[in-house]
């Protein structure tokens, strides 16, 4: 096989590999956008954590899960939150919820972990624009490094 043909094949293979890498990166980036997180006071979280999400899809249904990034100082099993959701058209919904979570660290050598707690099912964000979720524990929590919401598209 002539040398110029080999070079052409190698360039074609590089282009294909580059395109595959870009596609994988784009898919991973889309998946990352499904979780919106914000840092909180690691020593004692009691202040409101604000999570913002830009919505462009008014048709799909989502399952919403509260996500806590915790370290091994976190030992809560039942947590009460005040959740405030403000839609782009300024409609505001406030509720108090009690959720259970598994915070066992037995046998684990990890220093941090993500806990995902089911919150709402079959939610439709029916208006385009920015939604703001405010999440506040009703009692201070120790060992929480960040809090957020996972918007899992059905």
């Amino acid at each position: 096989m002539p040398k110029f043909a080999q070079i052409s094949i190698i360039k074609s293979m590089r282009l294909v590999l580059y395109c595959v890498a870009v596609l994988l990166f784009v898919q991973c980036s889309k998946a990352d956008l499904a979780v919106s997180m914000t840092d909180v006071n690691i020593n004692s979280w009691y202040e409101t954590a604000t999570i913002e999400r830009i919505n462009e899809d008014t048709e799909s249904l989502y399952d919403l899960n509260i996500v806590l990034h915790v370290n091994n100082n976190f030992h809560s099993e039942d947590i009460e939150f005040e959740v405030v959701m403000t839609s782009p058209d300024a409609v505001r919904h406030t509720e108090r919820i009690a959720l259970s979570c598994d915070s066992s660290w037995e046998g684990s050598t990890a220093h941090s972990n993500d806990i995902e707690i089911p919150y709402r099912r079959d939610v439709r964000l029916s208006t385009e624009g920015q939604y703001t979720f405010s999440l506040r524990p009703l009692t201070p929590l120790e060992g929480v490094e960040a809090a957020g919401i996972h918007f899992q598209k059905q």
Side-chain angles (χ1 to χ4, degrees):
M1 181 179 287
K3 187 166 184 114
F4 70 91
Q6 289 176 342
I7 292 172
S8 178
I9 291 172
I10 290 172
K11 285 183 178 181
S12 296
M13 289 177 65
R14 283 184 184 164
L15 179 62
V16 168
L17 288 173
Y18 175 77
C19 289
V20 168
V22 168
L23 285 173
L24 288 173
F25 176 76
V26 168
Q27 289 301 319
C28 290
S29 295
K30 285 183 179 179
D32 291 345
L33 296 176
V35 179
S36 298
M37 301 282 290
T38 188
D39 291 337
V40 298
N41 184 341
I42 191 172
N43 296 317
S44 179
W45 174 39
Y46 59 89
E47 299 155 336
T48 300
T50 302
I51 298 104
E52 296 176 342
R53 176 171 176 87
I54 303 295
N55 182 53
E56 297 173 353
D57 182 355
T58 60
E59 298 296 321
S60 296
L61 293 175
Y62 295 88
D63 290 340
L64 305 183
N65 298 323
I66 293 175
V67 181
L68 302 177
H69 183 74
V70 300
N71 62 33
N72 51 10
N73 291 324
F74 178 80
H75 300 291
S76 299
E77 292 182 9
D78 296 312
I79 307 171
E80 291 184 85
F81 290 103
E82 178 182 75
V83 181
V84 179
M85 187 273 304
T86 307
S87 66
D89 53 357
V91 173
R92 191 176 165 121
H93 174 75
T94 303
E95 65 183 327
R96 288 187 172 202
I97 58 172
L99 301 172
S100 296
C101 64
D102 178 17
S103 62
S104 63
W105 289 87
E106 289 183 33
S108 175
T109 58
H111 296 286
S112 63
N113 191 20
D114 286 335
I115 297 173
E116 195 159 329
I117 310 163
Y119 164 51
R120 287 270 173 229
R121 300 287 166 255
D122 300 327
V123 174
R124 176 174 283 122
L125 303 176
S126 59
T127 306
E128 284 189 21
Q130 180 173 300
Y131 281 79
T132 303
F133 293 83
S134 299
L135 185 62
R136 183 179 62 86
L138 297 181
T139 57
L141 295 175
E142 190 176 322
V144 178
E145 297 178 5
I149 297 178
H150 180 191
F151 299 85
Q152 187 173 6
K153 195 172 187 177
Q154 294 182 357

